[in-house]
Structure formats: C-alpha cells, structure tokens
Amino acid sequence: MLNQIAQLGDLTLKRFNNTASVVKFALSVFWHAFLPQSYHPAMRMVLVKQIYFTAVQVLPVFIFIAFIFGSIIIGSVILLASELGVLNEIGSILVYFIFNEFSPFFTALLVALRSGAAVNSEIALMHVNYELNALQTYKIDPIDYLFLPRILSGVISVTGLAIVFSVIMLVSGYVFSVFFLQMELISYLRILLNAVSLDNILMLLLKSMTFGFFIMLLPIHSGLKTGSCYSDIPVAVLKGMVSLFVALFVIEAVSLLIWLV
C-alpha cells in the first residue's frame, strides 16, 4: 500500500515538474516572440521554409482530404437536420459546426500527425547529436533560430489551413443544399451571413492559433528532453505525440466549455 502511494506521489511529482517545464519553455518563447532582435534574416528564412513545409507543401493533399471529409460530414449534418425538422436552423448549425468545431480541430489533427512528429524527431536528433550545444557555442540562440520559427509556422499554418478547410466545407454545404434542399446560391449565402457572428470567427482564429502553438511547442519540448542515445529518440517522439494529442483534446474541451458559458 505504501509503495503504491509512493509511486503515485512520484508520478504526480513528475507530471507537475513536466508541466512546469512546459510552462517555463512557453513563457520563454513568448518573450522572444516580442523581441525585435529575434527576427533576424536567418530566423525569417527558417520561418518561411517551415511555413512552406507545414502548410504550402501539403496543401493539395489537404484540400482533397478536406473536400472528402467535409462533404461527408456536411452531408450528414444536413440529412440529420432534415430528419429532425430543424432545417430552418441549418445556417446556425453549419456555422457553429464548421467554424467552432470541425475545421480547427480536424486541421490540428492533420498538422499534428504530419509536422508534430517530424519536428519532435528533428529536435530529438539534434539534441542527441549535440547540435544544440554547438549552436550555443557559436552564440546562436536556439530559441530564435530553431524553436520560434517552428512555433510561429505552426500558428500561421494551422490558422491558414483551418480557414481553407472552412471555405471548402461551406462549398460542400452549398452542393448538398442544392441537391437536397434545391437552394439557390443567393439564399445559401444569405442564410450563412445571417447566422455567422464575430464570435464564430474569433473562435475559429483563436482556437486554430492555440492548436498551432501547442502542435509545435510540445514536440519541441519533448525533443529537448531526449536522452543521450539514439534509442531514446523513438521514446521521446512517442511521449511528445501522446502529450500533444492529450493537449489537443483538452483545448477542444475547454473551448467548448467557454462557448457554452
């Protein structure tokens, strides 16, 4: 019994220390984000490359996936609304579902699966190879040169892709509205404009930015905690991705509670 209590205490202490370490790292990145000297030419070059890798390079596949899943989801929502007899509220339903829930969350999942694991592996490998120490030896701040560009690219990329996803889902909604409701484009646009509010747009942007921030922050932090052996890299990546997906679901739950309140 005492051993179990001791193990529980050790686990709780480790979780607390890890959370405190993440918060400290996040605050450090925030501080550097507001320093003009952080945005030197080398940093801007890395930022552009990261945005290209995270958002632009994946855009064709992302649009295809967004159209397929968007069509399925929007079609299901419209059919369900028709069966429940709430088609008069279809504008509000679509706006809430697209802007508040599906677009930011689904975009975050796709980016996390592709870029989160890649960044985690990259930083872990650099840590094992002592490349981060080499940067510090040459008085190059890893936060400015490595971490901040990747985190900013996550924020920018997830937000931009979520907006693209929202547009694709709105187009899918119109296609299904034409087939199932025989609705004209003007009527569809009028319904959406009457339903959308500033709160919906702010939720989309803030939620996407928060997702993007943690999609890069947590894998980087996990990579920095890698051991000194190459065999420690897969373990660090696994821990980082588990922490990331837990964080994504927590953010989703908190945003839902905020909206309901």
Side-chain angles (χ1 to χ4, degrees):
M1 183 66 180
L2 292 177
N3 289 335
Q4 293 177 344
I5 295 176
Q7 291 176 358
L8 180 61
D10 290 339
L11 179 61
T12 303
L13 186 60
K14 288 180 181 179
R15 295 293 185 186
F16 177 80
N17 290 335
N18 184 67
T19 303
S21 178
V22 171
V23 172
K24 182 180 178 181
F25 181 58
L27 291 176
S28 179
V29 172
F30 263 121
W31 173 255
H32 280 256
F34 291 99
L35 296 177
Q37 58 266 32
S38 296
Y39 298 89
H40 48 77
M43 180 272 186
R44 295 197 298 269
M45 181 183 67
V46 175
L47 175 60
V48 171
K49 289 183 178 180
Q50 287 298 316
I51 293 175
Y52 174 78
F53 171 76
T54 306
V56 179
Q57 197 176 56
V58 75
L59 194 57
V61 177
F62 179 83
I63 291 176
F64 175 76
I65 295 175
F67 183 78
I68 297 299
F69 279 89
S71 299
I72 294 173
I73 297 299
I74 293 300
S76 301
V77 170
I78 292 177
L79 289 177
L80 183 61
S82 177
E83 292 179 1
L84 296 177
V86 291
L87 283 176
N88 57 323
E89 299 293 334
I90 192 64
S92 300
I93 295 173
L94 288 179
V95 166
Y96 171 79
F97 190 79
I98 293 173
F99 284 74
N100 291 45
E101 300 299 333
F102 199 76
S103 292
F105 187 68
F106 193 80
T107 301
L109 289 179
L110 291 179
V111 175
L113 287 171
R114 183 178 185 272
S115 298
V119 170
N120 200 333
S121 302
E122 180 185 24
I123 299 301
L125 185 60
M126 295 180 72
H127 178 77
V128 172
N129 288 334
Y130 298 100
E131 295 178 40
L132 300 178
N133 293 337
L135 289 176
Q136 293 175 341
T137 300
Y138 288 100
K139 300 187 184 302
I140 299 175
D141 193 336
I143 294 181
D144 291 342
Y145 184 69
L146 292 177
F147 308 152
L148 184 59
R150 284 161 175 78
I151 292 173
L152 288 179
S153 74
V155 173
I156 295 171
S157 299
V158 173
T159 304
L161 290 174
I163 294 173
V164 172
F165 200 104
S166 299
V167 172
I168 294 174
M169 291 193 74
L170 290 174
V171 173
S172 301
Y174 171 66
V175 173
F176 276 89
S177 297
V178 169
F179 280 102
F180 290 99
L181 306 177
Q182 289 76 47
M183 186 180 297
E184 296 181 353
L185 178 60
I186 299 299
S187 300
Y188 180 73
L189 292 176
R190 186 181 298 113
I191 290 174
L192 291 179
L193 290 175
N194 291 334
V196 71
S197 66
L198 181 60
D199 291 340
N200 297 117
I201 298 175
L202 288 177
M203 178 61 75
L204 171 66
L205 296 177
L206 292 176
K207 198 171 180 179
S208 300
M209 292 171 66
T210 304
F211 279 143
F213 180 80
F214 283 100
I215 282 173
M216 294 299 177
L217 179 81
L218 294 178
I220 290 174
H221 181 266
S222 178
L224 293 174
K225 297 298 181 181
T226 309
S228 57
C229 301
Y230 287 106
S231 59
D232 294 326
I233 294 177
V235 178
V237 173
L238 178 61
K239 289 182 178 179
M241 294 308 294
V242 170
S243 299
L244 174 56
F245 280 101
V246 170
L248 293 182
F249 280 99
V250 169
I251 294 170
E252 176 67 23
V254 171
S255 66
L256 180 59
L257 290 175
I258 292 174
W259 183 264
L260 293 177
V261 172

